[in-house]
Amino acid sequence: MIDIRILGSGRALASWLAVIGGLAAPVGVRAACNAVPTTTETIRAAVGSVSRPFARSSGAADDVELLPSCDSPALEDANGDGAVDGKDFFVSVFFKPPGSKGRLVVLSGGAGCGDLQCGGKAPHCVDAPGPYLVVNKETGRLRFRFPETDGLLGPAGDGRGLTGPVAIAVTAVGKPLPCGLRTSRCIAQPGSPKQYFCIDDLFVDASGPAKCDTGRASQRTTFAGFTALPASNDYRRVCGDSEGEPRCADDASSIQMTVDSAGNVGLPMRWGSALRARPGDPGRKDNRRLKASTVESRARANTKPIDVPNSSYLASFTPEGRRWDRQPLFAPVAPGRSGRSRELTLEGTADEPESVLWFHRRLPWRYECKGGARAGQACAQKSAPPDCPGGSCRPTARAVYYTCHGGKRSGAPCTRGNDCGANARCMPGSRCVAWATGTQTPKGCSTDADCSAAEECGPGLFEFRDRMTAGGGPIVVDRDGSPSRPGVCRTGPKKGEACTSANECEGKRCVRFRAQAGAYTAATTSRR
């Protein structure tokens, strides 16, 4: 289980349960807090840029804005009515869950759906004129409302829609839909039909010759590709133990999350109902300590609990996918301190209505000890005590993957020498791994670019890409344990012991996750 205490001044952070991603701050990643940057942020894709890395496909109304970049085609009057507006375009949203058949949802800006076809079948089409598909001819931007998909994945009304990796393409009305995106990537699409925007893989910002590069070396780590998130989980319904008001409702039967194309886990959370209003400022919430844990295993073939070595693998973002200006601590708790040896435990605080928790599966690192007893090992700047006794922690020329050499975590990912234990080292380099099977090859590597398209550099902390609900739905973790999915006793004399039913817990509940809402802290944070 994940045991999460969210410490520090945080912005809707309480993160518990899940798994990780990206080039993070060297010392501790802080989870949902404080002010949102006022500048517009964009993320480069294969054709054009996008305003956010994810959007919720159920229970929300998230708008996605597409912007021109790197010579993407100018928007045109496709229907010949003298205006460049939403009626000129179709927005095709391809939901592409790993290892299974995807789904296509087409948005029309008022031109109707007609007899659209993909693979001989009519896709689900929504005619969404007006504010749901808007074009700005002067700036070349197009904004659309991300589709609600609860009704496409039965039963309707259960709050579960299509999730996971997504490809978005904008084409002209009267032209064929870009059906090739069902099985291929934007960078592999032919020139016809013309795609004004094509968003799937997401790339780092660069300058010079690499400004528009779409090679593997330029792909982002934290957000490898655009992702459809499930509906937000309500923490008050999830938590079972309370210290103060509001009390935990303890009536959620499950939690839901998803993965991006690289296997990082996104967990949208709603904290507001579990937080009290700040006295004298009802528009703000007081900081509350939160803690959660889960017995969810690292992989289907590895039943050990998820092992997150440090907070660099954890991150928290605004619902729009931006980092908080000042973020509260969001950190794993070592089993020896948490007392939950069968669970992954996290801790932190929350003082904002909602956030998206991100768990990096793997993480390239670019800080290394120069000189001293740990020369050549990965390190975190400004760590206490220092990671590089007798030396200094300096940035390297490029980010690479580090793994433990020796110790109990030998071969496992790391970003600090302390991740590997006594008499072990966190050193650069690993071996290419076939991600579909987890099989390690003899080929050495420093980055994913050193491996084939079906491989990645080094092992991950977990593998959840094969746990999505059939048909492309979210990853669902049920609260109650069962013979096929064991849990731990939540309370009582056998608290924390393995179980498959309440009978093994002397009548107490056998659970796969547990969470609590603790005391309020004196710390405050600025408004976003």
Side-chain angles (χ1 to χ4, degrees), residues 258-520:
T258 196
V259 292
D260 71 359
S261 57
N264 302 314
V265 169
L267 177 67
M269 294 298 301
R270 185 177 300 116
W271 315 106
S273 63
L275 305 175
R276 72 186 181 194
R278 182 172 299 171
D281 188 0
R284 296 298 311 279
K285 300 288 187 179
D286 276 338
N287 274 351
R288 193 173 194 180
R289 296 181 183 273
L290 306 172
K291 176 180 178 180
S293 59
T294 180
V295 295
E296 198 66 16
S297 62
R298 299 178 193 180
R300 290 191 183 278
N302 186 340
T303 58
K304 293 182 179 180
I306 299 164
D307 174 24
V308 179
N310 66 63
S311 58
S312 298
Y313 290 89
L314 307 177
S316 179
F317 297 92
T318 72
E320 298 77 28
R322 303 176 185 174
R323 288 190 181 274
W324 308 103
D325 280 352
R326 292 202 313 265
Q327 301 188 33
L329 181 64
F330 170 29
V333 183
R337 186 162 69 88
S338 70
R340 302 184 180 189
S341 60
R342 294 181 174 87
E343 306 163 60
L344 167 63
T345 301
L346 304 173
E347 62 183 4
T349 61
D351 66 354
E352 289 291 336
E354 56 185 339
S355 69
V356 176
L357 303 173
W358 204 256
F359 300 79
H360 292 94
R361 183 173 159 270
R362 300 180 306 129
L363 187 64
W365 201 245
R366 62 181 310 163
Y367 296 91
E368 192 173 283
C369 291
K370 306 298 181 183
R374 290 185 174 179
Q377 293 197 54
C379 59
Q381 292 186 317
K382 300 180 181 180
S383 60
D387 280 350
C388 304
S392 59
C393 185
R394 301 288 182 84
T396 57
R398 61 171 184 161
V400 301
Y401 288 99
Y402 288 77
T403 54
C404 291
H405 290 227
K408 294 182 178 180
R409 298 190 72 249
S410 184
C414 59
T415 60
R416 302 179 66 181
N418 292 338
D419 295 344
C420 301
N423 303 316
R425 299 175 298 158
C426 180
M427 301 296 292
S430 187
R431 294 192 181 278
C432 295
V433 176
W435 75 261
T437 62
T439 303
Q440 189 175 88
T441 73
K443 185 179 181 180
C445 61
S446 295
T447 70
D448 287 344
D450 298 329
C451 303
S452 72
E455 298 170 345
E456 57 193 13
C457 185
L461 294 175
F462 52 84
E463 181 55 81
F464 278 19
R465 281 175 286 192
D466 57 355
R467 300 190 193 184
M468 295 183 68
T469 304
I475 298 166
V476 177
V477 179
D478 293 324
R479 183 192 292 272
D480 292 329
S482 66
S484 62
R485 305 291 288 170
V488 294
C489 297
R490 182 166 130 178
T491 58
K494 294 187 176 182
K495 180 179 179 180
E497 293 187 17
C499 60
T500 60
S501 69
N503 291 335
E504 298 173 15
C505 299
E506 298 187 7
K508 303 299 182 180
R509 199 165 186 178
C510 176
V511 297
R512 295 190 53 74
F513 62 82
R514 45 182 169 161
Q516 65 188 58
Y520 287 88

Side-chain angles (χ1 to χ4, degrees), residues 24 69 204 243 263 348 355 495:
S69 67
V204 296
E243 184 177 344
S355 69
K495 180 179 179 180

